[in-house]
Amino acid sequence: MAKLVSLADGVADLVHDGDVVALEGFTHLIPFAAGHEIIRQRRQELTLVRMTPDVVYDQLIGAGCARRLVFSWGGNPGVGSLHRFRDAVQHAWPRPLELEEHSHAGMANRYVAGASGLPFAVLRGYTGTDLPRHTTNIRPITCPFTGETLTAVPALRPDVTVVHAQRADRAGNVQIWGITGVQKEAVLAAHRSLVTVEEIVDELEPVPGQVVLPGWAVSAVAEVPGGAHPSYAQGYSVRDNDFYRAWDAVSRHRDTFRAWLDQHVYRAGAVA
Amino acid sequence: MAKLVSLADGVADLVHDGDVVALEGFTHLIPFAAGHEIIRQRRQELTLVRMTPDVVYDQLIGAGCARRLVFSWGGNPGVGSLHRFRDAVQHAWPRPLELEEHSHAGMANRYVAGASGLPFAVLRGYTGTDLPRHTTNIRPITCPFTGETLTAVPALRPDVTVVHAQRADRAGNVQIWGITGVQKEAVLAAHRSLVTVEEIVDELEPVPGQVVLPGWAVSAVAEVPGGAHPSYAQGYSVRDNDFYRAWDAVSRHRDTFRAWLDQHVYRAGAVA
Amino acid sequence: MSERSERTIRHRGVSETNAMADWTADEMMTVAAARQLRDGVACFVGIGLPSTAANLARATHAPNLVLIYESGCLGAKPDRLPLSIGDGILADTADAVVSVPEVFNYWLQPGRIDVGFLGAAQLDRYGNINTTVVGGDYDAPKVRLPGAGGAPEIAASCGEVVVIVRQNPRTFTERVDFVTSVGYGSGPGERERLGLRGGGPRLVITDLGVLEPDPVTCELTLTRLHPGVTPEQARAATAWDLAVAERLTTGEPPTARELAVLRALEATKHGGRGEPRRPPP
Amino acid sequence: MSERSERTIRHRGVSETNAMADWTADEMMTVAAARQLRDGVACFVGIGLPSTAANLARATHAPNLVLIYESGCLGAKPDRLPLSIGDGILADTADAVVSVPEVFNYWLQPGRIDVGFLGAAQLDRYGNINTTVVGGDYDAPKVRLPGAGGAPEIAASCGEVVVIVRQNPRTFTERVDFVTSVGYGSGPGERERLGLRGGGPRLVITDLGVLEPDPVTCELTLTRLHPGVTPEQARAATAWDLAVAERLTTGEPPTARELAVLRALEATKHGGRGEPRRPPP
């Protein structure tokens, strides 16, 4: 059974310096509040894993939590570039950032392999691109029946995965609906998991399109209403597009970013 | 868009002598009516594929439609043996039946590979069992990252997959809920597909736990109320356990089976 | 195999004053299996005796037992015995219903399931199981059985395996005719050599008693008898030279409550024709 | 890249009597792209110009266009422009919402999607695309771009690819600094040698005109100009020696209806703060 915890306790217990950490949520249900708590607890040397390292990872990278990033698309969706990500890659600020870069199909399959207890996944992908030149984690594999060459990628097994969901019950069963992305796979691929939810309820009323993660497959659940802001939680909130647009200016310069971080993360409480 | 057809026309158009045919449905939603129509149209030399060749395949095998069976568990669930299947294997009646035998995990992954456009799937399976001695379709594969040996099975790509579902709309979008088994994978793995449904409706009201197959991924839909009997369609009918029990006696002897076939299939209309 | 025992031998219970102290060997076997399930563990359940035992455990000492059915029902909580692994009651009461590929790939294969319950048509001294063919050879068998189903991977990947099987010399055989599911293979170290990650058979529960693998040799050893059964009966029901533990114990008979709950569950296992079509929910 | 064009050059339309005959180069590009989508096809849509073009097509000549978004929304029918590939309106209106692994594995990879729409930061004469790094080398680039996303496999597996990109010599480059997504590689036969099963780029639609691969050489060739654009402008906006088709045509300007629908769609693309929490449905 998942433990019900506060966000601060959940991060303190489950996210350690040097960990491989995945925060997932595909545009929808991005665990921003948990990201801020990781920054607030000043985690260091993290390997951050995420298909779409958007604003939440721009913040973690700019705050200096990350040593390495494993990803497939790093931008501010619908707005433009991630300036903190760029500054780290182009100028090693606030510290150098190693990159391991994949395609979405590759990352999704790496989580699938992790969730499946397999050491690798097979896909038709990457062929002819320059991506395999820059990592040893993309390799050819031959079909033992047809002789055809396909592509293999190793399983992702994060030390801890953090996701946001709409609801959980008191046994820690987690309910997600709307765009469910790669969250189930990311949680099941990880050694530990923390789920922040809009609310904890007595009974999970079934909802069309739901994914339910049984409580016995989750380490801890924390009630964090609005924990996806400025992303959204279908049925609870809508995306704060103004925030994403404003982030472009906030993040463009190191001093405005640091001022934002100081005011909105370090001095803020557990809830963003 | 899927065509809306009668069951007789759907089978006539989509199921041909010599085809590799998968009828799927895991206890729930077994396409019995379609199976009977295949018998009535006297299809020959079929390779029948199914994880659980239960009563529906006992009928097709006893009727002489099958040359070969690819499967993972052949029994009458909760009752006992399949006598027509046994008679074919043990006494080549009414004709010899070649077997290709797998585990459930292997068969499910073979459909996944087929649905994914991959030539094979990888799993932890079969190791140490005698299953790999009897088919060339179970082979070792080495992880290109860890060197670990796993098991590969080739994709299943049926010529045609037939499933039963609760509802479709007029564009042929198919809605399935309850135990959804391996139906999505079996349909997507196939070159052609026929879906029988309890009813065709104007609008598919969303239902928790639903799987929706878009009409453009399905070849044809036929309205066949009760088309899963004696299996069941959640929300429409319950399993006819008496039928499964009675099948044991009906199928035990060739003459009682033939009498049943004559009365309930050959002389019956399109709807079982 | 029939779900209902065809044995009708009845054992006289320990207490003459208890009106429910009559039980069948199958009831004792089911109760003994149920007792092995600790509360809160996740258990991969096949239909028949395993499902009855698991549901008995959930209705008695293990209310938080997590029942996993290969049809994709995770955490099913049926209030009657399901009639198949795809019974609608399983989907209706499950915490989550997932696809069949998912139940094998995301839930069984990575070792998330603590206990796997298996039956057997043949079993050898190392707990290897045959449910495929008996007699003759594979292509022309004397008896064609249903085959593997989920068993090979349940046997490989669950934390541990509990086998429930009636004991007789045809079933408890020197050598299985076909290895459908691996127990300890040919002995110590074999599971590791094969790369099987689950622990293998921890218990074999029969209508006569309980067998456990010897910690050194992995050979199944009689460690417990059901009340009223003698070691000689167990040895006579075993085709190999059955090892008997030095400290052979006798299990407790079914309690009145266990029997009452078990019989109430069995009474829900009636048949029935399909009801006429109902409107969808 | 910004979703909104930063170009403000306006072309004078063909009809002085039509009050809507003023259009921007981006509007012309979007309309030209929308026109390429035949009704009923399945189209893998990225956010920005591709999404605008696809929704314009669906609102005009192609009501049965099947929009697939990499967030897992199959057959989305938004009545406004989604603001991201994971906009709630996509899930709310989709025929089916599937997981991200499923959209790539079951839908894109087997070749079920007819058309893939891609953008580009750099593009070469064989339609190879860079969206990863520009300048310097990979480890110390001059400009770090977002990277691959879904593009490599969209480019590999869709029946055909349509690229939408503004034309200028920095973008239309002799050699891309990084091959993120393969067009025709180094020329004829390369896709087959690589085992790519989709057809590759069929059209490149720019703010100046349309390029198509030469059927023999695979080299992108200017085949159509938007109204008011000269071949010299297109050649000047291309860093390589741009081939021009013998029969170079001029496209039709946007119709009043196309412009009206496009602008109505664009008007729905407002921002907005997150609304306060609402109760769940």
Side-chain angles (χ1 to χ4, degrees):
Chain A
M1 292 301 118
K3 281 196 298 184
L4 303 188
V5 298
S6 70
L7 176 57
D9 287 349
V11 167
D13 285 356
L14 297 171
V15 185
H16 311 137
D17 285 353
D19 272 356
V20 177
V21 181
L23 272 63
E24 280 295 348
F26 206 80
T27 310
H28 181 212
L29 293 170
I30 300 174
F32 271 91
H36 295 174
E37 185 60 30
I38 292 170
I39 295 173
R40 230 174 350 254
Q41 295 194 15
R42 299 187 187 267
R43 288 291 170 282
Q44 299 289 323
E45 299 284 334
L46 302 180
T47 292
L48 292 178
V49 180
R50 183 168 162 74
M51 292 182 63
T52 54
D54 41 24
V55 171
V56 65
Y57 273 20
D58 213 33
Q59 295 169 353
L60 280 151
I61 291 165
C65 301
R67 181 182 70 75
R68 182 177 168 80
L69 177 69
V70 181
F71 77 111
S72 42
W73 192 86
N76 182 344
V79 178
S81 293
L82 294 177
H83 300 295
R84 297 297 94 225
F85 163 62
R86 276 188 152 179
D87 203 11
V89 174
Q90 297 173 204
H91 309 110
W93 192 93
R95 50 160 300 161
L97 183 69
E98 292 171 28
L99 297 186
E100 181 182 330
E101 192 163 0
H102 289 269
S103 67
H104 278 354
M107 284 290 281
N109 277 292
R110 296 185 68 190
Y111 280 122
V112 168
S116 301
L118 293 174
F120 69 106
V122 177
L123 72 159
R124 298 184 183 279
Y126 300 96
T127 313
T129 75
D130 284 338
L131 289 160
R133 295 172 185 269
H134 299 284
T135 171
T136 58
N137 276 343
I138 303 167
R139 297 189 187 170
I141 189 164
T142 303
C143 173
F145 303 99
T146 64
E148 195 179 351
T149 303
L150 296 110
T151 301
V153 285
L156 278 168
R157 298 293 321 273
D159 293 305
V160 57
T161 287
V162 183
V163 300
H164 188 73
Q166 280 99 337
R167 296 195 289 222
D169 65 18
R170 290 176 206 290
N173 296 302
V174 171
Q175 188 185 32
I176 312 177
W177 68 88
I179 290 167
T180 55
V182 74
Q183 280 100 308
K184 177 189 274 188
E185 288 76 15
V187 166
L188 295 182
H191 296 286
R192 304 184 296 276
S193 56
L194 171 63
V195 182
T196 59
V197 295
E198 290 292 320
E199 55 175 343
I200 291 174
V201 296
D202 289 328
E203 187 90 25
L204 296 174
E205 186 67 27
V207 172
Q210 72 181 18
V211 163
V212 173
L213 282 169
W216 52 276
V218 171
S219 308
V221 171
E223 190 175 49
V224 187
H229 179 270
S231 157
Y232 72 107
Q234 187 124 344
Y236 287 84
S237 62
V238 298
R239 192 166 184 262
D240 185 352
N241 294 298
D242 286 350
F243 183 97
Y244 282 90
R245 296 223 174 90
W247 184 253
D248 195 68
V250 167
S251 63
R252 193 173 289 266
H253 302 288
R254 295 172 186 175
D255 51 354
T256 51
F257 167 73
R258 277 196 286 211
W260 179 90
L261 200 63
D262 201 43
Q263 183 177 348
H264 294 278
V265 178
Y266 290 127
R267 284 196 236 156
V271 176
Chain B
M1 293 301 120
K3 281 195 297 184
L4 304 187
V5 299
S6 70
L7 176 57
D9 287 349
V11 167
D13 285 356
L14 297 171
V15 184
H16 312 137
D17 285 352
D19 272 356
V20 177
V21 181
L23 273 64
E24 280 295 349
F26 206 79
T27 310
H28 182 213
L29 294 171
I30 300 174
F32 271 92
H36 295 175
E37 185 61 31
I38 292 169
I39 295 173
R40 238 183 332 263
Q41 295 193 14
R42 299 187 187 267
R43 288 291 171 280
Q44 299 289 323
E45 298 285 332
L46 302 179
T47 292
L48 293 178
V49 180
R50 181 167 164 75
M51 291 181 65
T52 55
D54 42 24
V55 171
V56 65
Y57 273 19
D58 213 33
Q59 295 169 352
L60 280 152
I61 290 165
C65 300
R67 182 180 70 75
R68 181 177 168 80
L69 177 68
V70 181
F71 77 111
S72 41
W73 191 86
N76 182 346
V79 178
S81 292
L82 294 177
H83 300 295
R84 297 298 96 226
F85 163 62
R86 276 189 152 178
D87 203 11
V89 175
Q90 297 174 204
H91 309 111
W93 191 93
R95 50 159 300 164
L97 182 69
E98 292 171 29
L99 298 186
E100 181 183 330
E101 191 163 2
H102 289 268
S103 66
H104 278 354
M107 284 290 282
N109 277 292
R110 296 186 67 191
Y111 281 123
V112 168
S116 302
L118 293 174
F120 70 105
V122 177
L123 73 158
R124 297 184 184 279
Y126 301 95
T127 312
T129 76
D130 284 338
L131 290 161
R133 296 173 186 268
H134 299 283
T135 171
T136 58
N137 276 343
I138 303 167
R139 297 190 187 169
I141 189 164
T142 303
C143 173
F145 303 99
T146 64
E148 196 179 351
T149 302
L150 297 110
T151 301
V153 284
L156 278 169
R157 296 295 318 276
D159 293 305
V160 58
T161 287
V162 182
V163 299
H164 187 73
Q166 280 98 339
R167 296 195 288 221
D169 65 18
R170 290 177 205 290
N173 297 301
V174 171
Q175 188 185 32
I176 312 177
W177 68 89
I179 289 167
T180 56
V182 73
Q183 281 101 307
K184 177 189 273 190
E185 288 75 14
V187 166
L188 295 182
H191 296 286
R192 304 184 296 276
S193 56
L194 172 62
V195 182
T196 59
V197 295
E198 290 292 319
E199 56 175 342
I200 291 174
V201 297
D202 290 327
E203 186 90 23
L204 296 174
E205 186 68 27
V207 173
Q210 72 182 18
V211 163
V212 173
L213 283 169
W216 52 275
V218 171
S219 307
V221 171
E223 190 175 48
V224 187
H229 179 270
S231 157
Y232 72 107
Q234 186 126 344
Y236 287 84
S237 62
V238 298
R239 193 167 184 262
D240 185 352
N241 294 299
D242 286 349
F243 184 98
Y244 282 91
R245 295 223 175 90
W247 184 252
D248 195 67
V250 167
S251 62
R252 194 173 288 267
H253 302 289
R254 294 173 187 174
D255 50 354
T256 50
F257 168 72
R258 277 195 288 210
W260 180 88
L261 201 63
D262 201 43
Q263 182 178 349
H264 294 279
V265 178
Y266 289 128
R267 285 195 233 157
V271 175
Chain C
M1 282 165 291
S2 166
E3 279 185 26
R4 295 181 66 91
S5 169
E6 286 163 26
R7 293 200 182 193
T8 51
I9 309 149
R10 289 183 169 270
H11 298 267
R12 184 62 46 187
V14 284
S15 164
E16 287 293 325
T17 62
N18 185 340
M20 307 209 44
D22 259 355
W23 69 86
T24 66
D26 271 9
E27 284 174 337
M28 183 67 243
M29 172 163 62
T30 305
V31 166
R35 288 173 182 166
Q36 292 300 330
L37 290 169
R38 295 180 306 284
D39 198 21
V41 305
C43 179
F44 206 104
V45 186
I47 212 64
L49 289 169
S51 181
T52 307
N55 279 287
L56 174 59
R58 211 175 58 78
T60 53
H61 68 281
N64 299 307
L65 192 64
V66 179
L67 306 188
I68 315 285
Y69 287 83
E70 67 191 12
S71 54
C73 299
L74 310 181
K77 289 169 275 293
D79 57 5
R80 58 172 174 79
L81 280 188
L83 288 146
S84 74
I85 51 87
D87 194 309
I89 191 84
L90 301 176
D92 284 341
T93 62
D95 291 328
V97 181
V98 302
S99 73
V100 166
E102 180 176 327
V103 78
F104 285 103
N105 289 349
Y106 286 7
W107 298 92
L108 177 61
Q109 183 167 267
R112 290 182 218 283
I113 316 294
D114 303 299
V115 182
F117 256 137
L118 291 176
Q122 287 185 328
L123 180 88
D124 70 17
R125 73 176 74 211
Y126 291 117
N128 301 300
I129 290 172
N130 174 17
T131 55
T132 303
V133 284
V134 172
D137 64 29
Y138 176 78
D139 293 312
K142 220 162 118 192
V143 183
R144 173 67 229 193
L145 299 165
E153 287 77 23
I154 293 170
S157 293
C158 283
E160 60 185 39
V161 169
V162 176
V163 184
I164 308 185
V165 58
R166 297 186 190 103
Q167 196 164 352
N168 65 60
R170 277 177 300 114
T171 302
F172 281 60
T173 182
E174 183 65 43
R175 194 184 162 83
V176 294
D177 293 348
F178 189 101
V179 179
T180 312
S181 305
V182 178
Y184 295 100
S186 56
E190 177 94 356
R191 289 186 69 86
E192 294 71 18
R193 277 193 297 279
L194 292 170
L196 306 179
R197 306 204 297 178
R202 183 174 63 88
L203 290 168
V204 176
I205 295 172
T206 82
D207 48 349
L208 302 179
V210 175
L211 289 69
E212 297 177 66
D214 180 274
V216 175
T217 66
C218 293
E219 185 175 325
L220 291 176
T221 304
L222 182 69
T223 57
R224 185 174 308 179
L225 290 168
H226 296 321
V229 182
T230 65
E232 290 65 38
Q233 282 176 293
R235 286 174 56 86
T238 308
W240 75 81
D241 184 19
L242 177 64
V244 177
E246 274 186 42
R247 282 187 284 185
L248 181 66
T249 61
T250 299
E252 291 298 312
T255 66
R257 175 147 183 262
E258 283 168 337
L259 276 181
V261 172
L262 173 57
R263 288 171 185 176
L265 279 172
E266 291 280 1
T268 65
K269 219 170 62 177
H270 59 81
R273 290 196 59 77
E275 286 171 21
R277 295 177 64 216
R278 288 181 290 144
Chain D
M1 285 165 288
S2 166
E3 278 186 28
R4 296 183 65 91
S5 167
E6 285 164 26
R7 293 200 183 192
T8 51
I9 310 150
R10 289 182 168 270
H11 298 267
R12 182 62 45 188
V14 284
S15 163
E16 287 293 325
T17 62
N18 184 341
M20 306 208 46
D22 259 356
W23 69 85
T24 67
D26 271 10
E27 283 173 338
M28 182 68 242
M29 172 164 61
T30 304
V31 166
R35 288 172 181 166
Q36 292 300 330
L37 290 169
R38 296 180 305 283
D39 198 20
V41 305
C43 178
F44 206 104
V45 187
I47 213 63
L49 290 169
S51 181
T52 306
N55 279 287
L56 174 59
R58 212 174 58 79
T60 53
H61 69 281
N64 299 308
L65 191 65
V66 179
L67 306 188
I68 315 284
Y69 286 83
E70 67 190 11
S71 54
C73 299
L74 310 181
K77 289 169 273 294
D79 57 4
R80 58 172 174 79
L81 279 187
L83 288 145
S84 72
I85 50 88
D87 194 309
I89 190 83
L90 300 175
D92 284 341
T93 62
D95 292 326
V97 181
V98 301
S99 73
V100 165
E102 180 176 328
V103 77
F104 285 103
N105 289 349
Y106 286 7
W107 298 92
L108 177 62
Q109 184 166 265
R112 289 181 219 284
I113 317 293
D114 304 298
V115 182
F117 256 136
L118 293 176
Q122 288 185 327
L123 180 88
D124 71 16
R125 72 175 76 211
Y126 291 116
N128 302 300
I129 290 172
N130 174 17
T131 55
T132 302
V133 285
V134 171
D137 63 29
Y138 175 79
D139 293 312
K142 222 162 114 192
V143 183
R144 174 66 228 194
L145 298 165
E153 287 76 24
I154 293 171
S157 293
C158 284
E160 60 185 39
V161 168
V162 176
V163 184
I164 309 184
V165 58
R166 298 187 189 103
Q167 197 164 352
N168 64 60
R170 276 178 300 113
T171 302
F172 282 60
T173 181
E174 182 64 44
R175 194 184 163 82
V176 294
D177 293 349
F178 190 100
V179 178
T180 312
S181 305
V182 178
Y184 295 100
S186 57
E190 177 94 356
R191 288 185 70 86
E192 293 71 18
R193 276 194 296 281
L194 292 171
L196 306 179
R197 306 204 296 177
R202 183 175 63 86
L203 291 168
V204 176
I205 295 171
T206 82
D207 49 349
L208 302 179
V210 174
L211 288 70
E212 297 178 67
D214 180 275
V216 175
T217 66
C218 294
E219 186 175 326
L220 291 175
T221 303
L222 183 70
T223 57
R224 186 175 306 179
L225 290 167
H226 297 320
V229 181
T230 65
E232 290 67 37
Q233 282 176 294
R235 287 175 56 85
T238 307
W240 74 80
D241 184 19
L242 177 63
V244 177
E246 274 186 41
R247 282 188 282 185
L248 182 65
T249 61
T250 299
E252 291 298 312
T255 66
R257 173 141 185 267
E258 285 168 335
L259 277 182
V261 172
L262 173 57
R263 287 170 186 177
L265 279 172
E266 291 279 1
T268 64
K269 218 170 63 176
H270 58 81
R273 290 195 59 79
E275 287 170 20
R277 294 177 65 218
R278 288 182 289 144

